[in-house]
Structure formats: structure tokens, C-alpha cells
Amino acid sequence: AQSVTQLDSQVPVFEEAPVELRCNYSSSVSVYLFWYVQYPNQGLQLLLKYLSGSTLVKGINGFEAEFNKSQTSFHLRKPSVHISDTAEYFCAVRSGGGQGAQKLVFGQGTRLTINP
Amino acid sequence: GAVVSQHPSRVICKSGTSVKIECRSLDFQATTMFWYRQFPKQSLMLMATSNEGSKATYEQGVEKDKFLINHASLTLSTLTVTSAHPEDSSFYICSATGGLYEQYFGPGTRLTVT
């Protein structure tokens, strides 16, 4: 079975500072990895995804993530955050199998708070 | 891009009544739709997976007779919470996939049962 651990439940950061949100996963098969952002009372928006190829993935809003297979990690980074980045961030994994393997497994979420 | 809508965005109902939530894929055909439940300050919990034209597959611990899911077409899935009780109050989110790698999420429905 797959699982996802987001190591930090809350991350406070000052505006324009860099940030890293950590995500580790466990899986016995190949995986696809995702980061989603959720603003209050809204659904989830995809930030970026890793399917294959280059381990450094760039997404929207200046975010990027690096897939590290040996450390089973997929940490999310942004070099300079803005107030508007304040939101909940979810890491998710699904197995690389076929039709029956489409379920996403979510981490617990990390609340990113940007302080002026 | 792929857009998923949900209706209603908010609903308040009395205990014992039923409420239906719609999930639509607006610009693609969704072979599979998923229904999630999210409690405050928590992650998403998958309730069920539905494929068009077949019965939904419920996750362990989710009552299929209480949470009725219908996926009658490639663009519409509905979740009906039957005989709702205050403990069913939650944020319900659907997602849809056209068979590729990612799920597209709806904006969610806030259900309050009084």
C-alpha cells in the first residue's frame, strides 16, 4: 500500500523568503507524484506533477519540486514567496499502474502562512 | 484546461432529509469520478470511485446506502447523502479524470446538517 507523509503541518515564512515543503512517500511500485494547493473553501488546484523523465519539475506560480527516488521524497520549493501563497498544500501519490490504480493517496497537508 | 464544477457550493438541510450534490466535467469526458470528504483542517478522504455506467466502488468504512453515487453519463456524477445527520456535515469534493494521469478537482460543496 502507498502512503504519503508531509513532515510539517504548519510552515510560517516571511514574505520574499524561500520555502520548502517536505513530502515523503512509500510505495513498492513506480509512482506518479503530485502537489496540489487548496485555498480556503475551495477545491484543489494542481501545482505540478512528476510522471517520468527529469526529476526537477517546474509548476505554476513559481513552484518547483524534485523527485528523489533513493530518498523517496518529492519536496516542494519556491525561492521567494508572496502573501498570496498562503494556503494549504497537499502532496499526493498514485501508482503507475493501469485503470484500477488511479486512486490518489494524499498527505496530511501543510499549512503555509506567509507573514509580511 | 479541464474544468470540473460542483453544485451547489453550499447547502443547509435539516436532519433526516436527503441532499444531492452534482459534479460535472465541463470540457472533457470523465471516465472516472471520485468523491472525497474533507473535515476542517484535515486531508481529503476518498469515499468512492465511480466509473460511467457501473456501480461505484466504496472505500472501507463508507456506507454505500447512505452515500448514493450515480455516474449516469461521461460528464455527470451525483452524490446523494440520504437521511443526513449533523455528523455528515463536511466539505465534499469531487474530482474527475479522462483516463490520463491527473485528477481535476471541483470547487467543493459545504454541507451543513442542522
Side-chain angles (χ1 to χ4, degrees):
Chain A
Q2 298 157 337
S3 67
V4 178
T5 301
Q6 291 182 242
L7 297 161
D8 306 296
S9 60
Q10 296 185 60
V11 173
V13 181
F14 285 110
E15 194 173 15
E16 298 183 5
V19 70
E20 178 180 82
L21 305 184
R22 296 180 293 170
C23 172
N24 286 88
Y25 69 93
S26 67
S27 176
S28 58
V29 297
S30 64
V31 295
Y32 301 136
L33 294 155
F34 305 83
W35 273 100
Y36 287 90
V37 59
Q38 184 180 34
Y39 299 102
N41 296 309
Q42 294 186 29
L44 273 64
Q45 180 182 6
L46 180 68
L47 279 177
L48 47 78
K49 61 180 181 274
Y50 171 79
L51 304 179
S52 65
S54 173
T55 57
L56 182 62
V57 180
K58 293 190 183 297
I60 63 171
N61 301 342
F63 284 93
E64 64 181 33
E66 185 153 20
F67 170 57
N68 188 319
K69 187 174 181 179
S70 63
Q71 296 188 5
T72 60
S73 68
F74 190 54
H75 300 332
L76 181 71
R77 302 187 186 98
K78 186 169 182 178
S80 176
V81 295
H82 301 284
I83 293 286
S84 59
D85 292 323
T86 294
E88 191 82 21
Y89 291 80
F90 292 97
C91 181
V93 62
R94 61 155 281 195
S95 68
Q99 184 78 12
Q102 292 182 18
K103 286 196 289 189
L104 282 175
V105 176
F106 284 90
Q108 303 90 325
T110 297
R111 175 71 182 171
L112 176 62
T113 302
I114 310 302
N115 298 305
Chain B
V3 179
V4 175
S5 70
Q6 277 184 247
H7 178 79
S9 58
R10 290 178 176 269
V11 57
I12 300 172
C13 70
K14 292 185 182 297
S15 186
T17 62
S18 296
V19 61
K20 180 185 286 188
I21 302 170
E22 291 186 349
C23 176
R24 292 181 184 273
S25 57
L26 299 184
D27 50 4
F28 67 103
Q29 292 186 325
T31 52
T32 305
M33 288 185 168
F34 302 86
W35 286 96
Y36 296 86
R37 184 173 181 177
Q38 186 179 31
F39 291 104
K41 300 187 188 300
Q42 294 189 27
S43 188
L44 280 72
M45 181 191 79
L46 180 65
M47 299 174 66
T49 303
S50 73
N51 293 295
E52 185 265 339
S54 61
K55 288 184 179 180
T57 302
Y58 290 82
E59 295 299 301
Q60 192 172 8
V62 178
E63 300 176 60
K64 61 181 181 181
D65 294 330
K66 181 167 187 62
F67 298 101
L68 300 178
I69 292 172
N70 184 284
H71 191 164
S73 78
L74 284 172
T75 60
L76 173 64
S77 176
T78 60
L79 167 67
T80 301
V81 183
T82 62
S83 186
H85 291 283
E87 56 265 31
D88 298 325
S89 297
S90 193
F91 193 54
Y92 293 88
I93 304 175
C94 73
S95 72
T97 176
L100 296 179
Y101 305 108
E102 64 185 270
Q103 294 180 23
Y104 301 95
F105 286 81
T109 295
R110 175 77 58 193
L111 170 63
T112 303
V113 184
T114 61

